[in-house]
Amino acid sequence: MSLTNRDQQHLWHPYTQHKTASPSIAIVRGEGALLWDENNKVYIDAIASWWVNPFGHSNRFIADAIYHQLTTLEHVLFGGFTHEPAIVLAEKLLEILPSNQKKIFFSDNGSTAVEVAIKVALQYFYNKGEKKTTLIAFENAFHGDTFAAMAASGISFYTEAFQGMFIDVVRIPVPVKGQEQLSYAALQQAIADHNVAGFIFEPLVQGAAGMVMYSAEALDQMIRVCNQNHVLTIADEVMTGFGKTGRNFACDFLQTQPDMLCLSKALTGGTIPMAITTFTQELFDGFYSDDINKALFHGHTFTANPTGCAAAIASLTLLQTDEMQNNIARVHQSHLAFEKHIQNHPKVSTTRVLGVIFALEIKTESQESYYGDLRNKLYHYFIENGIIIRPVGNIIYILPPYIITEEQLKKVYEAVENAIEIV
């Protein structure tokens, strides 16, 4: 019996309606930007397996670091204990994070990184005796699937079954080009009308919304408004972090830095689940007290797992090499060249590029649903042609491993261009 058939007997997959979905493809091996299924068909992983794998599959440098750590100290509880990999990772990460970030809290994934940030925002004011219970978030945001993260998200079909169960969130328009003033006004109105604890955002790029992009200047202005009104700011860099925008973090494009950053996905190079939320000293000090009840009572069994920390240290080392920085620049230039080639195609309405992120929007007569017929037709076309791309409605995006070759990128671009012709 094939792996795919065995999978169907027992496994429940994410974001999947199993009655209508195609059987899952069983992957047995990966190397670089390539994956092989159980029938030895090869696929180019053009989205870095949900944006987690910038340095390629089965990366030997990261694997060696994991092996060394596994044979030294695989795990120890982080409550009341510490270890060198966590300390070294914190030191290395703080060297490249925005300079206002001083403290690091570990968790397991992007959703929990956001969950921690939201809890800190709410409790920070509670500890001061102030009642601030509302968050501000962008429309069509996606911050994760745990409850507070869902509450901050704006993609309704993910969350509609849980309406009425969430913390209070006010959604405002994204400050895309031409709508900056509308977004600024909505932010100011939300602050005036509610007791706002925090403003959470995906900096510069809304990933799950279809790589919607907006300017650093617009976000700078919004952060300044929040600072003036004592509203904490949370940058969800789970997708954008670790080089994807062309800089280490999307916040590196900003003049005014947020109070908190949420990190995961590429943190460990696609190897071991791990997340980090970072904070200013002021936020940490808001929990520093003789009163035990003012502590942050949040934790996970595998918090600061040493093996995950070792993988993250290796990933940071790779990210900072000249070779990897040159790869990021190379992919960016290739995207720009493809954008120039495809942007005037009669079936293309818009294109956008930032760092290693490329997206285009196909012209349609009506708004396409997230998992609608067009999206499914495109997805299956890519899979049939050995390319892993997951369109969002009528938006096709590419976010490949940094080590993808020019020949592989060319095949991805050709597949995208051919896919546009069939719809």
Side-chain angles (χ1 to χ4, degrees):
M1 186 183 292
S2 70
L3 292 174
T4 292
N5 289 338
R6 289 163 63 189
D7 170 279
Q8 290 178 296
Q9 294 184 45
H10 303 295
L11 299 184
W12 193 342
H13 288 264
Y15 308 120
T16 300
Q17 174 47 265
H18 280 273
K19 186 173 183 178
T20 58
S22 299
S24 297
I25 298 166
I27 298 298
V28 298
R29 184 166 69 92
E31 183 178 343
L34 302 179
L35 294 166
W36 284 261
D37 71 14
E38 62 182 326
N39 300 311
N40 209 35
K41 180 176 178 178
V42 63
Y43 302 84
I44 299 173
D45 186 356
I47 58 169
S49 286
W50 264 339
W51 323 332
V52 305
N53 200 298
F55 312 117
H57 296 282
S58 305
N59 183 283
R60 183 54 62 89
F61 184 75
I62 300 176
D64 287 345
I66 290 171
Y67 174 78
H68 175 74
Q69 190 59 49
L70 280 172
T71 54
T72 305
L73 174 66
E74 80 298 339
H75 184 64
V76 64
L77 71 161
F78 209 56
F81 294 86
T82 192
H83 50 80
E84 187 176 20
I87 296 166
V88 171
L89 175 56
E91 291 169 344
K92 287 186 174 296
L93 193 53
L94 287 169
E95 287 176 2
I96 63 171
L97 279 165
S99 59
N100 68 333
Q101 299 301 295
K102 301 298 182 184
K103 294 292 182 178
I104 280 176
F105 192 95
F106 287 92
S107 61
D108 294 354
N109 57 67
S111 296
T112 59
V114 168
E115 203 82 8
V116 170
I118 291 173
K119 288 176 74 171
V120 165
L122 296 172
Q123 189 179 340
Y124 174 78
F125 291 106
Y126 177 85
N127 283 356
K128 295 173 66 176
E130 299 179 34
K131 187 175 182 180
K132 291 195 174 187
T133 58
T134 300
L135 293 179
I136 298 172
F138 283 138
E139 295 170 352
N140 297 319
F142 181 75
H143 295 291
D145 295 322
T146 52
F147 253 74
M150 270 201 303
S153 299
I155 301 175
S156 62
F157 69 89
Y158 281 141
T159 59
E160 60 188 14
F162 309 101
Q163 294 302 319
M165 307 177 194
F166 293 137
I167 58 175
D168 294 331
V169 177
V170 177
R171 304 190 202 289
I172 63 174
V174 184
V176 295
K177 189 173 182 180
Q179 295 190 36
E180 293 92 344
Q181 294 304 319
L182 179 66
S183 187
Y184 302 156
L187 174 66
Q188 291 169 326
Q189 192 66 52
I191 293 172
D193 292 346
H194 302 272
N195 292 320
V196 178
F199 168 41
I200 185 169
F201 50 86
E202 297 159 272
L204 308 192
V205 189
Q206 286 189 302
M211 302 300 163
V212 173
M213 299 181 185
Y214 61 99
S215 73
E217 291 77 15
L219 184 55
D220 265 321
Q221 182 162 337
M222 300 182 86
I223 294 174
R224 285 194 290 268
V225 168
C226 289
N227 289 346
Q228 292 163 5
N229 289 277
H230 306 291
V231 171
L232 299 174
T233 49
I234 304 167
D236 179 352
E237 291 244 22
V238 169
M239 187 278 284
T240 51
F242 305 106
K244 297 193 188 77
T245 62
R247 300 189 184 181
N248 288 331
F249 304 100
C251 287
D252 291 339
F253 288 90
L254 300 174
Q255 299 297 314
T256 307
Q257 292 299 332
D259 299 298
M260 298 174 248
L261 276 78
C262 305
L263 308 170
S264 189
K265 289 200 180 288
L267 173 63
T268 65
T271 56
I272 294 175
M274 175 169 278
I276 284 173
T277 312
T278 72
F279 304 95
T280 62
Q281 185 67 42
E282 181 182 356
L283 280 174
F284 178 81
D285 290 345
F287 292 74
Y288 192 75
S289 171
D290 291 325
D291 184 353
I292 185 65
N293 294 312
K294 290 187 176 181
L296 176 60
F297 284 103
H298 187 102
H300 298 255
T301 303
F302 286 93
T303 293
N305 170 254
T307 312
C309 289
I313 293 167
S315 295
L316 283 180
T317 301
L318 284 175
L319 176 65
Q320 294 175 283
T321 62
D322 290 342
E323 178 184 4
M324 208 57 64
Q325 292 298 313
N326 289 338
N327 279 334
I328 292 170
R330 172 181 57 82
V331 173
H332 176 66
Q333 291 301 317
S334 295
H335 281 351
L336 290 175
F338 181 56
E339 180 184 42
K340 185 176 181 180
H341 169 74
I342 202 71
Q343 62 187 356
N344 294 320
H345 190 288
K347 291 188 176 182
V348 173
S349 60
T350 61
T351 59
R352 44 194 176 268
V353 173
L354 182 64
V356 301
I357 305 167
F358 169 89
L360 65 78
E361 192 165 346
I362 297 173
K363 291 179 181 177
T364 56
E365 294 181 0
S366 59
Q367 186 174 358
E368 286 292 321
S369 64
Y370 206 86
Y371 286 105
D373 291 340
L374 174 59
R375 178 266 177 200
N376 293 337
K377 186 176 182 181
L378 289 166
Y379 173 75
H380 290 300
Y381 176 84
F382 291 128
I383 290 296
E384 289 169 7
N385 287 273
I387 309 289
I388 299 177
I389 287 178
R390 291 175 62 89
V392 179
N394 63 325
I395 297 168
I396 299 173
Y397 75 86
I398 305 166
L399 203 169
Y402 307 156
I403 50 77
I404 193 170
T405 67
E406 286 301 299
E407 181 181 358
Q408 290 164 347
L409 264 179
K410 183 180 178 182
K411 290 180 180 178
V412 173
Y413 296 147
E414 288 174 350
V416 170
E417 190 166 7
N418 291 337
I420 294 171
E421 296 295 342
I422 67 168
V423 298

